[in-house]
Amino acid sequence: MKKIVLFTFLFICSFSLINAQEKKDTAPVDTFRFTVVKELPITPVKNQSSSGTCWSFSGLGLFEAELLRLGKPEVDLSEMFVVYHSYSDQAEKYVRMHGALNFSAGGSFHDVLYVLKNYGIVPESLMPGLNYGENMHKHGELDAVTSAYVKAVIQNKNKKLSTAWKKGFDGVLDAYLGELPTEFALNGKKYTPQSYAQSLGLNFDDYVSLTSYTHHPFYGKFALEIPDNWRWGESYNLPLDEFMQVFDNAINNGYALAWGSDVSERGFSRNGIAVNPETRIDNLPGSDQARWLNISEKQMLDSIYKLNTPQPEIKVTQELRQQGFDNYETTDDHGMLIYGIAKDQNGTKYYMVKNSWGTDSKYKGIWYASESFVQQKTMNIMVHKDAIPKDVKKKLGIK
C-alpha cells in the first residue's frame, strides 16, 4: 500500500475523516460478534471532525479516564486549550529551527502531557475553540493560515526577525480558537489553568511513553523519529512480548492507554473494525485453493478486506514490526484510547478502542482492534507507570 509520510496526521486524522463522515460506508454489514472480557470506564466519545487534533482528544481522553479510575467525578477537558499552546510552541520552535522542523496539525501524547505540566488545563465549556462560525472543528483554513504565517516569518525578508511575529501568530489562534482563559470560577471556587490542573489530583510525572523497535537498545529511551514528535519526547523501548504485556496488565488492573497507531491500512475499517488479515494463499480459509489461485491479486485482496467475518491474521514478530517502521509501511497516523479487551466468536482477542470520529459508526465511535493489528501497527502508547508489570518496570529503571 502506498504510504504518504509527510503531513500524515493532517491527512489521516482530518481529510480522510471528512470522507468517512460525508460518504456512507458501502462495505457489507459485518458479522463480527464480540464478547467483552474487561471494560474500563471512559468519558463519552467526542468528534474532532475536520481537524488534525486526534492526539489532543486521545491524550486528554487518557487523563479523563484516569480520573474515573481514581473514583473522581467525570470531567470534560478542553482539547483546544492544549491545541492552542501546542501550536504556539510549535511555531516558536519551527522559527528557531529556521524551518527545519515539521509544522502541521499533527502532534503527540507528549504535547498533551507537556501542556498539562507547564500550562495547566481548563474545562471544555471555557474553551471549546469554535470562534470562527462553525459548530464543529474545521481547521482547514486555520492550518493553512498558520503554516503560511510561519513560512513567511522564516523567509526573513527584513534580514532580522521582528518583535511582533509571535504576538501576531498567537493573535491568529485567538481569532480561531478563542483567547486563553487566565482565571475562572467553577463550583464557587476561583482557578487559573495551572491551579485547576493541580486540583484534578493527578501526578503528571507518573505517565510514560512506551514503544518497541530494534533500531535502539531495549530498556532505554529514545525520541521516536516521526515528524509529529516535534517536541522530541522520549519513549521507553521494550521487546514486543513485554510491550504487549503492558497492554493486558494495564487494562486488567484498571488503567487505560493512549494509543498511537497506523490507521491507513485496509484492515482498519471506517466502521469499527481493525484487523491484520493473512494474505498468503496457503494460509487462507477453505480447502479449495484453486478459487484463490485463479483470481487476480486485487480480487483476492478485495475479498479478504470486505471485513464481513473474522479471518486468519498475521503472526507478528519483532522483525515484522521493525520492517514496517523502517520502510514507511507503518506510519504515525492517529491517536486513540484503548480501554478494554474483547473476544470475537472464534476466541480471537481484540482491544476496545475509543476513537474521536463521533458516534456515527456501527459501534457508536468504538473500534475493535485485533491483537495482531495492535502488535504490528502500534507506534507508541502512553500510560501510568504503575500499569507496567513490576518486573518490566524494574528493567526500565522506573520507580
Side-chain angles (χ1 to χ4, degrees):
M1 182 179 219
K2 186 177 180 181
K3 297 288 181 178
I4 299 174
V5 177
L6 295 179
F7 309 113
T8 308
F9 256 84
L10 182 59
F11 181 77
I12 295 295
C13 286
S14 178
F15 294 126
S16 63
L17 176 57
I18 298 172
N19 291 335
Q21 290 176 329
E22 293 182 353
K23 296 181 181 180
K24 295 296 184 181
D25 195 334
T26 57
V29 176
D30 69 72
T31 56
F32 286 83
R33 297 189 299 277
F34 295 106
T35 301
V36 174
V37 176
K38 178 78 171 183
E39 181 176 7
L40 305 179
I42 55 173
T43 54
V45 171
K46 299 184 183 181
N47 194 347
Q48 69 185 74
S49 192
S50 304
S51 74
T53 59
C54 51
W55 49 275
S56 183
F57 281 82
S58 50
L60 285 182
L62 168 65
F63 294 107
E64 291 175 354
E66 280 289 87
L67 292 171
L68 296 177
R69 176 180 67 82
L70 295 172
K72 296 178 180 291
E74 180 181 303
V75 298
D76 185 2
L77 302 175
S78 169
E79 288 81 17
M80 293 305 126
F81 180 89
V82 174
V83 169
Y84 186 117
H85 278 294
S86 295
Y87 283 9
S88 183
D89 287 352
Q90 188 180 20
E92 184 168 345
K93 193 167 188 176
Y94 180 87
V95 171
R96 289 191 180 278
M97 294 290 293
H98 297 252
L101 184 81
N102 187 52
F103 186 88
S104 72
S108 73
F109 304 137
H110 292 287
D111 297 320
V112 179
L113 193 58
Y114 185 90
V115 170
L116 288 165
K117 285 183 176 181
N118 292 277
Y119 303 118
I121 193 64
V122 300
E124 170 74 10
S125 59
L126 264 72
M127 192 172 178
L130 295 167
N131 276 33
Y132 47 97
E134 300 287 349
N135 57 12
M136 300 285 283
H137 302 294
K138 293 188 177 181
H139 283 190
E141 184 176 293
L142 172 62
D143 294 337
V145 169
T146 52
S147 179
Y149 189 108
V150 292
K151 289 176 182 177
V153 169
I154 65 167
Q155 287 175 2
N156 197 11
K157 291 188 176 182
N158 292 337
K159 307 301 181 183
K160 178 183 177 182
L161 291 185
S162 74
T163 58
W165 83 262
K166 187 58 169 35
K167 184 177 181 181
F169 183 88
D170 289 347
V172 173
L173 298 180
D174 287 341
Y176 282 87
L177 303 180
E179 295 184 11
L180 292 168
T182 57
E183 189 175 272
F184 58 94
L186 186 67
N187 298 326
K189 295 183 179 180
K190 286 186 177 181
Y191 295 97
T192 65
Q194 292 86 349
S195 66
Y196 180 68
Q198 293 170 1
S199 77
L200 297 177
L202 298 175
N203 183 354
F204 300 116
D205 290 329
D206 286 342
Y207 296 87
V208 296
S209 176
L210 305 170
T211 191
S212 178
Y213 290 112
T214 60
H215 64 291
H216 289 277
F218 289 134
Y219 308 116
K221 291 194 293 184
F222 73 98
L224 270 169
E225 303 93 338
I226 52 178
D228 287 328
N229 187 22
W230 60 269
R231 287 194 194 271
W232 305 327
E234 291 187 316
S235 298
Y236 288 95
N237 197 26
L238 285 172
L240 180 58
D241 59 341
E242 292 180 325
F243 186 52
M244 296 309 300
Q245 286 176 29
V246 176
F247 285 75
D248 291 348
N249 190 74
I251 295 166
N252 287 324
N253 286 281
Y255 296 89
L257 312 93
W259 179 45
S261 179
D262 178 354
V263 301
S264 61
E265 305 299 325
R266 292 182 69 180
F268 193 98
S269 80
R270 290 294 179 260
N271 207 26
I273 302 292
V275 291
N276 195 21
E278 172 64 73
T279 57
R280 285 176 51 193
I281 290 177
D282 56 345
N283 286 339
L284 294 176
S287 57
D288 183 9
Q289 296 299 319
R291 70 188 179 92
W292 298 107
L293 292 169
N294 293 331
I295 64 175
S296 70
E297 181 179 1
K298 181 180 184 303
Q299 289 174 313
M300 181 185 75
L301 292 175
D302 285 346
S303 178
I304 292 169
Y305 285 108
K306 283 181 180 178
L307 301 182
N308 59 351
T309 188
Q311 303 257 3
E313 295 194 73
I314 292 172
K315 298 186 185 305
V316 179
T317 64
Q318 188 81 63
E319 294 71 24
L320 195 60
R321 261 187 66 83
Q322 189 67 40
Q323 179 183 342
F325 183 72
D326 288 344
N327 66 16
Y328 291 2
E329 284 184 327
T330 298
T331 51
D332 179 31
D333 295 345
H334 193 43
M336 295 159 281
L337 183 75
I338 289 180
Y339 72 99
I341 297 173
K343 290 187 177 181
D344 69 12
Q345 60 264 46
N346 296 332
T348 302
K349 183 195 293 183
Y350 290 73
Y351 293 98
M352 300 174 68
V353 180
K354 174 188 173 183
N355 207 338
S356 55
W357 293 351
T359 56
D360 188 18
S361 58
K362 181 176 177 61
Y363 303 110
K364 306 302 181 185
I366 301 305
W367 259 247
Y368 291 87
S370 73
E371 185 174 36
S372 175
F373 185 94
V374 171
Q375 286 175 330
Q376 187 165 356
K377 293 302 176 178
T378 297
M379 187 66 65
N380 74 309
I381 58 174
M382 181 166 282
V383 69
H384 193 287
K385 66 180 184 180
D386 290 345
I388 304 171
K390 291 182 179 179
D391 59 331
V392 176
K393 188 161 63 169
K394 184 177 181 181
K395 291 180 183 179
L396 294 174
I398 298 174
K399 296 181 179 179

